[in-house]
Amino acid sequence: MIIGILGGGQLARMMALAGHPLGHRFVFLDPAPDACAATLGELLVAPYDDHSALDRLAQKVDVVTFDFENVPASSLAFLTEKIPVFPPPAALQAAQDRLVEKNLFRQLGIATADYVAIDSRDDLTQALAQLGLPAILKTRTQGYDGKGQWLLRNQLDVTNAWSELAGRAAILEAFIAFEREVSAIGVRGQSGETLFYPLAENTHHNGVLFQTLSTSDDPMQGRAEQQTSLLLEALGYVGVIAVEFFQVGDSLLANEFAPRVHNSGHWTIEGAETSQFENHLRAVAGQPLGQALARGHFAMVNLLGAMPDAQAVLAIPGAHLHDYGKAPRPGRKIGHVTVHCDGRTPAVPDRLLDLL
């Protein structure tokens, strides 16, 4: 099968690496001529909303998917008139707008932090009176890796954030003193078959995911699966989905979902019977899903800005280096390391962290 992917970044690259052994071929559409997935298929260089390029993509492939959620929903709508597109455009539209996303969670009975829509300075003043400080101000759209977010602790923060917001539609969320953030990664096939990977516990640096640790006996597994299943069914979802939750005591609060393969699931490449990338492709191609069972405790560490010494990384027992082939740049995700973690209290080896 020939699979089209809107986006040619590292997620598209890892999908293609997983798909080649299955006999799939790939065509990517990306505005960047140096997209790192390009060596693994044909690259169409064009804006995501270029209808001529979208037409060419549709003529070359059997099905289309995407590798990040800032692809215009209108482009998916255009493609669905010509060719199957998975995950469904409704999932992308919901994930692109934080207010729509939060409303969807609430409609499905999935708990979230309290929130208020913000369209004016008066809205913000009233919302702060309702939710209090601290609080989190977020743009409704175009937010990822900590972008478009402001932690408001005092009135100076409020003034500065409102100035930087520059009139964009926003949402104010109550600040949650959560114990940890976890990701539920599931996959749903075209037949409705659904599988879940073990929960991943996430640690961020400056709003960017730094490391993920997955164990096979997380006490919140069942609750996270139940809530994510509500979302999958409501959206008629096909493919891999990631839902980020905050744990507060024995409760989970949904923060956001990503309608695609996700950074916190990279550990599945070496750590699961079937990686999230292979299962996403199986789902969109209408093939049976592979087992999502873990092969033990695994961790993933993002490589941000610069690559560590490859020799030193590969000398660490159980470590696997993934270099995306991207030019180094401060804060940019240019690779990751997955590592098998032994012991009763699994953790990323200090020897690996010392290299970063």
Side-chain angles (χ1 to χ4, degrees):
M1 179 175 285
I2 305 176
I3 298 175
I5 302 180
L6 293 180
Q10 65 264 22
L11 298 181
R13 176 186 175 88
M14 286 183 273
M15 277 192 266
L17 287 169
H20 279 293
L22 300 178
H24 298 314
R25 290 183 289 154
F26 295 87
V27 181
F28 311 101
L29 191 153
D30 195 292
D34 61 347
C36 68
T39 57
L40 294 162
E42 180 181 353
L43 176 64
L44 304 179
V45 180
Y48 294 121
D49 58 357
D50 184 325
H51 283 195
S52 175
L54 293 170
D55 263 328
R56 282 187 287 143
L57 178 68
Q59 292 167 11
K60 290 173 175 285
V61 303
D62 301 302
V63 65
V64 170
T65 188
F66 46 92
D67 83 337
F68 79 127
E69 58 265 46
N70 285 331
V71 171
S74 58
S75 296
L76 293 195
F78 179 83
L79 284 168
T80 55
E81 297 179 358
K82 307 170 184 300
I83 196 165
V85 177
F86 301 113
L92 178 69
Q93 288 177 310
Q96 285 181 331
D97 187 318
R98 286 188 169 108
L99 180 60
V100 174
E101 180 181 50
K102 286 290 196 296
N103 287 343
L104 176 60
F105 284 143
R106 288 289 181 92
Q107 290 163 11
L108 296 174
I110 301 171
T112 72
D114 290 335
Y115 62 94
V116 179
I118 304 297
D119 293 309
S120 68
R121 187 66 171 84
D122 285 344
D123 287 344
L124 180 57
T125 299
Q126 294 174 23
L128 287 168
Q130 177 181 336
L131 300 181
L133 291 173
I136 308 291
L137 183 66
K138 300 179 179 180
T139 56
R140 283 177 54 175
T141 61
Q142 298 293 314
Y144 62 95
D145 286 345
K147 296 179 175 65
Q149 300 187 31
W150 297 266
L151 172 60
L152 310 182
R153 292 157 295 197
N154 51 51
Q155 286 302 317
L156 179 59
D157 289 340
V158 173
T159 299
N160 291 339
W162 181 254
S163 176
E164 293 176 22
L165 185 64
R168 289 173 287 175
I171 183 172
L172 186 74
E173 297 181 9
F175 180 82
I176 301 297
F178 58 88
E179 297 165 29
R180 60 181 186 142
E181 180 194 288
V182 295
S183 294
I185 295 181
V187 57
R188 187 173 186 270
Q190 293 184 32
S191 68
E193 177 188 9
T194 302
L195 296 172
F196 287 93
Y197 292 93
L199 281 184
E201 182 174 338
N202 303 322
T203 302
H204 293 76
H205 285 179
N206 299 319
V208 180
L209 181 64
F210 175 61
Q211 70 179 50
T212 289
L213 178 64
S214 179
T215 61
S216 302
D217 53 359
D218 195 293
M220 304 305 290
Q221 183 76 35
R223 190 165 302 178
E225 289 187 14
Q226 186 271 334
Q227 295 190 35
T228 303
S229 293
L230 295 173
L231 191 62
L232 292 171
E233 292 296 324
L235 293 170
Y237 200 87
V238 173
V240 164
I241 194 170
V243 183
E244 295 179 357
F245 293 98
F246 297 140
Q247 181 180 349
V248 182
D250 293 331
S251 300
L252 290 177
L253 300 179
N255 180 39
E256 62 185 20
F257 78 91
R260 53 170 172 80
V261 290
H262 194 258
N263 198 171
S264 64
H266 290 358
W267 67 268
T268 65
I269 298 174
E270 285 83 24
E273 290 295 322
T274 312
S275 76
Q276 65 164 344
F277 300 100
E278 181 177 336
N279 257 337
H280 183 76
L281 297 175
R282 288 191 185 205
V284 304
Q287 297 172 325
L289 302 182
Q291 289 297 307
L293 300 173
R295 293 171 171 164
H297 305 311
F298 271 80
M300 184 281 306
V301 178
N302 271 330
L303 303 177
L304 304 174
M307 293 294 295
D309 180 73
Q311 293 288 100
V313 171
L314 296 175
I316 298 172
H320 303 265
L321 177 64
H322 295 259
D323 184 338
Y324 304 154
K326 297 167 68 173
R329 191 171 66 214
R332 190 183 199 189
K333 295 176 185 174
I334 60 173
H336 74 265
V337 177
T338 55
V339 61
H340 183 253
C341 303
D342 291 317
R344 292 185 178 180
T345 307
V348 178
D350 291 338
R351 185 175 167 188
L352 174 57
L353 296 176
D354 289 343
L355 296 174
L356 306 180

